[in-house]
Amino acid sequence: MPDAITARCPLCRARGIEPTSRTLQSGNVVRAFSYACSHCGLLLDEPAIMLAPTQNDTLFRDLCARKPTLKHPGNPFGCDIYTMRTIATRFGLAATPENAMQAHELRHPHGTLSAEADLVSLRALAPTPFSVGIMCTEREADAVLETAALYRSWADAVIVLIDRAGETSEPRQEGDDGFVSVFSHPLNGHFANQRNALQALCRTSWMFQLDADEDISPKLGETLTRLATLADRQGAVSIGLPRQNLVNGRLSDLYPDVQYRLNRREVVYEGIVHERPVRIWQKSFIALSGAIQHHLTAEHVARRSKAYEGLKPGGGRLFEEQALQRAFSAE
């Protein structure tokens, strides 16, 4: 896959704008769109909408305010209820289908009906308890355990899984203070297996997984408890978040680099490297409530993709090294 520079989606910021034949209907009005984002599903008239961020926000807020864009051809965006759910999270809102037809469209995206939704503050939803799972090496373990207490305000429990050789294939418990549980299990060069070992240790209905060099803000952590509630109500089992890859402190161009890390306990991962949860995409969605921060050094970037390529030839995504080394560009 080439490291192509294409236009970013005005909503999710992914470089995934593709030609489409999709249409949307509102009442008797049907509108055709020429382009769609392959990540979030936003519909566009042009492949590159050159508007200031504040103008984009105004247009997206109009969609949330239920101003019928189909009756205003000058508005360059359109969305079904599936994409509306993602747009709403950008403003701290939860989108609920307004009627049975919209509920059907949400379960079977992408549909042909223009979104009609009831929106409430995400904070109005009751929080769903979930666990944080953190994978780390022996070298990283002390630092991870020092920071685990930071999640106490919004997580139900923290489970730390250390890559450590052992005689058994089952995780071995090494500590438990009532909030932080520590286990060890050999990674053996297979990242999905390690994440699945973490999933199996979870005792709540949802688990949010982090790596040792990742973190999120307490505000986002609190929001995740509400997003899990929204997902449960709407039959979703996996939620993706943008990830900011900060190389020597600078945001790289590999953004949004969406990571589906908030998953129901029964969801498993696949892939030796660049592992992903196993689920149909219709039961997942992207939330724009905040970002995972991934702290990298240029030295680590230089060897990461090659190391992954060694674990799985052809699967190391060598092209990502270029994007990681390049500074973020909004265009």
Side-chain angles (χ1 to χ4, degrees):
M1 179 176 178
D3 183 29
I5 303 298
T6 57
R8 289 190 182 276
C9 171
L11 176 60
C12 72
R13 311 305 290 156
R15 297 191 188 277
I17 305 300
E18 299 176 345
T20 188
S21 58
R22 286 179 58 192
T23 62
L24 289 178
Q25 180 174 355
S26 178
N28 294 323
V29 179
V30 177
R31 180 176 170 186
F33 290 86
S34 299
Y35 297 90
C37 176
S38 61
H39 289 64
C40 67
L42 183 71
L43 294 171
L44 309 93
D45 285 332
E46 302 291 338
I49 306 296
M50 304 304 292
L51 296 174
T54 54
Q55 292 176 293
N56 284 336
D57 272 355
T58 297
L59 292 172
F60 292 134
R61 285 185 184 277
D62 283 351
L63 288 175
C64 290
R66 299 174 61 186
K67 295 182 179 179
T69 58
L70 298 192
K71 297 179 181 178
H72 296 80
N75 190 312
F77 306 134
C79 69
D80 64 357
I81 186 66
Y82 178 89
T83 300
M84 171 60 76
R85 177 171 56 189
T86 290
I87 294 173
T89 64
R90 179 166 170 166
F91 303 107
L93 300 172
T96 301
E98 189 178 75
N99 52 50
M101 289 189 297
Q102 291 286 333
H104 180 271
E105 295 269 295
L106 184 61
R107 292 192 300 270
H108 302 89
H110 284 290
T112 59
L113 295 181
S114 184
E116 295 179 6
D118 294 318
L119 294 108
V120 299
S121 170
L122 275 168
R123 294 190 62 82
L125 304 184
T128 292
F130 67 87
S131 301
V132 174
I134 306 174
M135 300 194 316
C136 66
T137 64
E138 290 187 88
R139 178 177 53 82
E140 297 164 328
D142 287 344
V144 167
L145 292 172
E146 286 178 6
T147 59
L150 298 175
Y151 307 125
R152 193 178 296 272
S153 64
W154 48 269
D156 189 70
V158 172
I159 303 171
V160 177
L161 188 60
I162 304 171
D163 173 17
R164 183 176 290 155
E167 297 178 358
T168 174
S169 61
E170 295 299 318
R172 183 176 66 250
Q173 187 161 7
E174 299 187 1
D176 186 351
D177 69 0
F179 178 67
V180 180
S181 301
V182 182
F183 293 81
S184 61
H185 182 257
L187 176 69
N188 288 337
H190 199 301
F191 285 89
N193 284 352
Q194 196 77 336
R195 291 209 185 277
N196 291 337
L198 258 180
Q199 291 288 101
L201 293 168
C202 183
R203 294 295 176 262
T204 52
S205 58
W206 287 80
M207 171 171 270
F208 178 62
Q209 292 209 21
L210 286 170
D211 293 341
D213 54 4
E214 296 173 336
D215 58 54
I216 64 170
S217 70
K219 181 180 179 181
L220 176 55
E222 178 66 25
T223 300
L224 293 181
T225 67
R226 270 69 179 189
L227 288 170
T229 301
L230 179 65
D232 275 338
R233 292 181 180 181
Q234 298 181 350
V237 300
S238 180
I239 299 174
L241 294 171
R243 182 169 70 170
Q244 296 176 335
N245 292 291
L246 303 169
V247 181
N248 290 348
R250 182 187 69 176
L251 179 62
S252 82
D253 207 43
L254 186 61
Y255 180 84
D257 191 21
V258 174
Q259 300 292 308
Y260 287 87
R261 296 287 188 78
L262 182 58
N263 296 282
R264 282 197 60 87
R265 179 178 57 194
E266 61 269 23
V267 172
V268 298
Y269 288 78
E270 65 180 358
I272 295 174
V273 296
H274 297 298
E275 63 285 358
R276 304 281 283 185
V278 180
R279 80 287 182 267
I280 58 172
W281 69 266
Q282 292 90 341
K283 285 184 172 290
S284 66
F285 64 92
I286 297 171
L288 303 178
S289 308
I292 299 170
Q293 293 198 325
H294 188 201
H295 306 277
L296 300 160
T297 65
E299 180 185 3
H300 178 68
V301 168
R303 65 174 187 268
R304 188 186 82 145
S305 294
K306 295 178 180 64
Y308 286 178
E309 185 70 12
L311 291 172
K312 185 181 180 182
R317 296 186 188 174
L318 296 176
F319 66 90
E320 285 189 352
E321 183 179 341
Q322 300 176 39
L324 283 167
Q325 293 175 340
R326 187 170 60 239
F328 174 79
S329 171
E331 298 180 354

